[in-house]
Amino acid sequence: MSLTLDFISPAATPAADRVTLFADVILPLPLPRLYTYRVPYELNDNVVIGGRVIVQFGAKKTLSCIVAAVHEQAPKEYQAKYILEFIDDAPVVTQPQLKLFRWMADYYMCTIGEVINAALPSALKLSSESRIQLHPGFSREENEYPLSTQEELIVDALGTTEDGKALTFTEVGDLLGITSFHKVIKSLMHKDIIFLFEHTADKYAPKVVKKVRLAHHFISEASLEQLFEQLASKPKQLDVLMKYMQRVPVYQNEYANQHGIEKAALASSPHLSASAVNTLIKNGVLEQFDVIVSRFPLENEPTAQLHFSLTEAQTTARDEIMAHFGEKEIVLLHGVTGAGKTEIYIDLIRKALESGGQVLYLLPEIALTAQIVTRLIRVFGSRLGVYHSKFSDNERVEVWNGVLSGRFQVVVGVRSAVFLPFDNLSLIIVDEEHESSYKQYEPAPRYNAREVALMMANFQGAKTLLGSATPAVETYYQAKQGRYGLVSLSKRFGEAGMPDIELVDTRKARDQKTMHNHFTADLLGEVERTLGRQEQVILFQNRRGYAPVVACQDCGWIPKCTNCAVSLSYHKHSHELRCHYCGYHDSMVTKCPACGSRAVKTQGFGTEKIEDDLKIMLPQANIQRMDLDTTRAKNSYQQIIGDFEKQTTNVLVGTQMVTKGLDFANVSLVGIINADSIIHYPDFRAHERAYQMFVQVSGRAGRKGKKGKVIIQTADPTQVIFDKVIRNDYVEFYNYEIMQRQEHGYPPFMRVIKMTVKHMEQGLGEEAAIRLTQELVDRLGRAAVLGPEAPYIFRIRNFYLQEITIKLDRAHTVLKHAKQLIYDAMDVVKDQKEFKQARLVADVDPM
DNA sequence: AGCACGCCGACT
DNA sequence: GTCGGCGTGCTC
């Protein structure tokens, strides 16, 4: 047909010149390759690299995917399907991002689809599983937009706002009898008639704020005057109206009325009555409408350009960093806790912004608190984007689009913020760079945001500042080797000295019978004295729940998880036994099912028991607990922090959460209840982790000029690590640790890749692991492969685990080659019929 | 990741 | 005789 057209129309492009384009797309699936689709000729101009398109994949699935490349090579072995639709006319994924994603897939041994999946907020994914629902603020009667027949059809199918009925994209397509339904959905979204969500978040309810604005027929000056006259006898209503006019300059800017103001702001103002507001609404003077708002209290305008000056030490450090940046791409800022690193960061961010580049400021999850965000907003105002894991999907899209559009020049965020679509970064800050939470374990991509950040900076010509009080051994090594610039900040801000650290021997205390539950007399006494001085205490116990083990005193029976090889922890609050690995839970047993004895007792202790015991021993103190269990609800974390800040609570008992990013001026005592559980870990990083944890927790003691005290309870105070902690000498710790690493061939001298074989059947899992080990040894040599070995917890979620550790030379070429060999070995095992059920996982640079 | 195709056990 | 179990392989 088109051939005929070409013949009869001389003006048309000659057939020989007619370009047929093909697009290689990234599907959001764990597939190793890109897939090639054909671009409909009429839409050649619509293809955008980094834009989303909708394609048919397989027989049933309609997926949205990202265009990675456009070319003219028709696939030879198969007939390419057509792209069904183009969603974006501008990239949602930038070119530097695509490059980074490819690098991640390569380096972390996963597929690019897995990277894309982790990177894109699900609202940007638009799969056939995406659903639409009526916007809560929509009402058919008040709708002012004209609807097309198709739009009408969809709105009808969605029923009313109250039923909250949802349609999947596939259903929308069926309903309209067309495949290109996206235009309709986009239009409805634009008109705020519907909103979009993923099926995984089917309980998602957008946050809605009730707003009011002046009914549009009152906007003219004349009608307003008339209105004022009518209300002359109703002072309450007049007050409300005056207040509204004061807040919204309707005369100067008609458009301002469109946005209205929050109803709550009007109704709850002093001297204004809520009922007057309602009357005005009822009489049609004000109209009420709903707006979906960000859940994060982002202020739109900077409150004030906060001016603070750096101390002399901070200025020196800042200048040193700048000087290093002159010749080096990466600088490590090694600053003790409380040295005021944040001020330096802010200063550098400001400078980077002035030069016109973007800035990414990464923080570990537990350090990204409202405290730090508020502080940054005060300085950067609406240019600051915040990316937190507790954010809803819509909020993530908001930040994503904000970075794309240039609205957000600075983003402060957690691990996954490295996925945001930056294209002009000039500075990346990775605070607490040693934190293991920068590394993602499950699912793939198993990436370390610190390393990704470094690569991203490399691609975009940005500088990276790594900050920590206790740098990772690998990082400090790079600095010592001269690859990173090194700047040290050893003095605490505001002349506060480092806290005194005291070790208390729990074994001795137990022998002398001076233990009160899990407290030595020394710690308990110090807690009492501190509270007596009206000062606050933080107690650290790295285990949540009440007790990690429950046991029958008569026969030794212990309740175990049915899915994992762990004993169940007792949680007193819910009176349940819970598995911390898979979430399995059961009610607490009172009678031993093995022997019938009633003597079932708890063993060991977690945060909950510490809290409980302390409440009994110090009935007059206000004690609060902060761990995963008490902070699950969205605002509970803020609540707990707020109470402690206001000093409503005197003692805060918690897990790791209490170690990061919190500055409390009145805390003068920190207690580590059981240091031994932190030190004794079967892992080459155990000492490093323990050292970091002790130093970080200790850093919470004594700020703003007050010298604090730290008490560490341990059964063996002679352990070497304590010596380093007490002397507060990181370099000494590093020198000791780096020797160990070299001696035993661990990072930074060797690179580690950990293989995990998972199988539902123990025997087959072991066999598969042995076979994989063999294949690996054949390719990489005996010396490079350790294991297989069952990990301490050898079964999780019904899968038996076997681990193989591969150690490789650091050279990049070696690494690349080795990864190919590892893939080969994995393929051999997977092709074996008897191992079809085995899951093989590679974790590059495990932590 | 889905989903279809395909080959072996308990049922109307 | 069929319905359906989930093992295997493919998707441009």
Side-chain angles (χ1 to χ4, degrees), chain A residues 280-297:
Chain A
L280 284 168
I281 294 169
K282 204 172 70 201
N283 294 341
V285 175
L286 293 177
E287 57 186 18
Q288 186 174 322
F289 61 107
D290 294 335
V291 173
I292 293 183
V293 294
S294 160
R295 285 192 155 76
F296 201 81

Side-chain angles (χ1 to χ4, degrees), chain A residues 132 140 151 290 353 399 406 459 511 674 693 697 761 803:
Chain A
I132 55 166
R140 210 168 302 240
E151 288 173 352
D290 294 335
L353 289 180
V399 181
F459 287 165
D511 288 348
N674 179 9
M693 217 173 261
V697 189
E761 276 173 71
E803 287 176 352

Side-chain angles (χ1 to χ4, degrees), chain A residues 583-599:
Chain A
Y584 170 87
H585 55 97
D586 202 351
S587 49
M588 175 63 177
V589 289
T590 45
K591 198 172 123 187
C592 173
C595 70
S597 161
R598 299 243 163 224

Side-chain angles (χ1 to χ4, degrees), chain A residues 156-296:
Chain A
D156 283 344
L158 287 172
T160 65
T161 319
E162 285 75 45
D163 357 301
K165 231 181 118 187
L167 287 178
T168 67
F169 275 31
T170 329
E171 286 166 339
V172 172
D174 292 347
L175 187 69
L176 302 180
I178 53 170
T179 45
S180 54
F181 44 77
H182 188 259
K183 243 187 291 174
V184 188
I185 288 176
K186 208 167 173 177
S187 156
L188 284 171
M189 289 217 315
H190 188 73
K191 294 174 188 169
D192 272 348
I193 293 174
I194 59 167
F195 71 94
L196 198 134
F197 66 100
E198 278 304 295
H199 72 298
T200 42
D202 48 2
K203 57 199 176 303
Y204 173 70
K207 181 170 176 179
V208 171
V209 162
K210 288 201 187 313
K211 292 183 105 179
V212 292
R213 63 186 165 211
L214 203 57
H216 50 270
H217 46 272
F218 286 115
I219 286 176
S220 76
E221 209 163 324
S223 53
L224 257 174
E225 261 169 44
Q226 209 181 335
L227 177 64
F228 277 120
E229 275 170 36
Q230 278 171 22
L231 293 178
S233 60
K234 303 181 176 73
K236 289 280 184 200
Q237 292 182 38
L238 212 52
D239 279 352
V240 172
L241 204 58
M242 292 303 282
K243 180 77 181 178
Y244 181 82
M245 301 293 291
Q246 200 186 323
R247 294 280 299 273
V248 185
V250 182
Y251 289 128
Q252 290 89 6
N253 182 1
E254 255 180 64
Y255 189 67
N257 186 57
Q258 197 65 33
H259 294 290
I261 91 173
E262 274 182 41
K263 187 182 176 188
L266 212 53
S268 63
S269 299
H271 317 299
L272 292 185
S273 94
S275 71
V277 177
N278 285 327
T279 311
L280 284 168
I281 294 169
K282 204 172 70 201
N283 294 341
V285 175
L286 293 177
E287 57 186 18
Q288 186 174 322
F289 61 107
D290 294 335
V291 173
I292 293 183
V293 294
S294 160
R295 285 192 155 76
F296 201 81

